[in-house]
Amino acid sequence: MSEATQDHTNDFVTLTADIVCAYVSNNSVPIVEVASLLGSVHKALSGLAAGPVPAASAAEVDKPTAAQIRKSITAGALISFIDGKPYKTLKRHLSAHNLDPHSYRQRYGLSKEYPMVCPSYSEQRAELARAIGLGRPGAQASAVEPKSRAQRKTG
């Protein structure tokens, strides 16, 4: 074993001992589990020194075909490429899988115009917004006019 490798090994052993001592002094650990704790901490430190492990499984995702993308957009729901289930809106579903709309589109090769809300739900929300006067200046004020002073005194 070379001198540099031996120095790294001694450093890891010292670090492992320090970490385990600090942990055991603040936590209740059965004596039989101390050896496995030492081994797991040393393995973790060695893994950190070796560098990051490439995440091949997360990067290898089958990209949907153009036909599958068209089929995923229905009037009443959007079909998720993650689990194949229908959703009215994908934002909460994506956040549960640690994704955002941009990374979802990028991961599955979707265009920037790919919707995150199904068409019927989007139209329903737009109609509701129009009904309460959103987007029109003064629309809410004209819908509910306060009584004038003369009407309040006589009425």
Side-chain angles (χ1 to χ4, degrees):
M1 192 180 329
S2 72
E3 193 171 314
T5 308
Q6 190 173 6
D7 287 341
H8 285 297
T9 305
N10 288 338
D11 289 342
F12 288 147
V13 170
T14 305
L15 282 172
T16 301
D18 291 342
I19 291 170
V20 171
C21 284
Y23 181 78
V24 170
S25 67
N26 292 318
N27 297 291
S28 175
V29 178
I31 294 172
V32 295
E33 292 184 14
V34 174
S36 64
L37 180 62
L38 282 166
S40 64
V41 170
H42 189 269
K43 183 178 177 182
L45 288 174
S46 299
L48 288 173
V53 177
S57 63
E60 295 176 16
V61 175
D62 291 333
K63 305 249 185 212
T65 63
Q68 290 173 326
I69 292 171
R70 281 192 302 274
K71 283 184 177 181
S72 73
I73 304 171
T74 63
L78 294 174
I79 309 300
S80 169
F81 290 112
I82 297 172
D83 60 4
K85 294 182 181 177
Y87 297 94
K88 285 188 177 188
T89 178
L90 288 176
K91 186 151 178 129
R92 185 178 295 159
H93 170 63
L94 295 178
S95 65
H97 293 279
N98 296 324
L99 292 171
D100 58 31
H102 175 72
S103 59
Y104 177 73
R105 288 178 178 127
Q106 192 174 24
R107 181 177 184 180
Y108 291 102
L110 305 171
S111 70
K112 291 180 183 178
E113 291 80 30
Y114 187 84
M116 290 291 123
V117 178
C118 73
S120 66
Y121 187 66
S122 179
E123 184 57 37
Q124 179 184 7
R125 299 293 295 184
E127 189 60 39
L128 180 64
R130 280 187 223 107
I132 63 173
L134 292 178
R136 293 181 295 186
Q140 290 178 332
S142 64
V144 181
E145 292 185 24
K147 295 181 180 179
S148 67
R149 288 185 146 254
Q151 288 176 338
R152 282 188 270 177
K153 287 184 181 179
T154 60

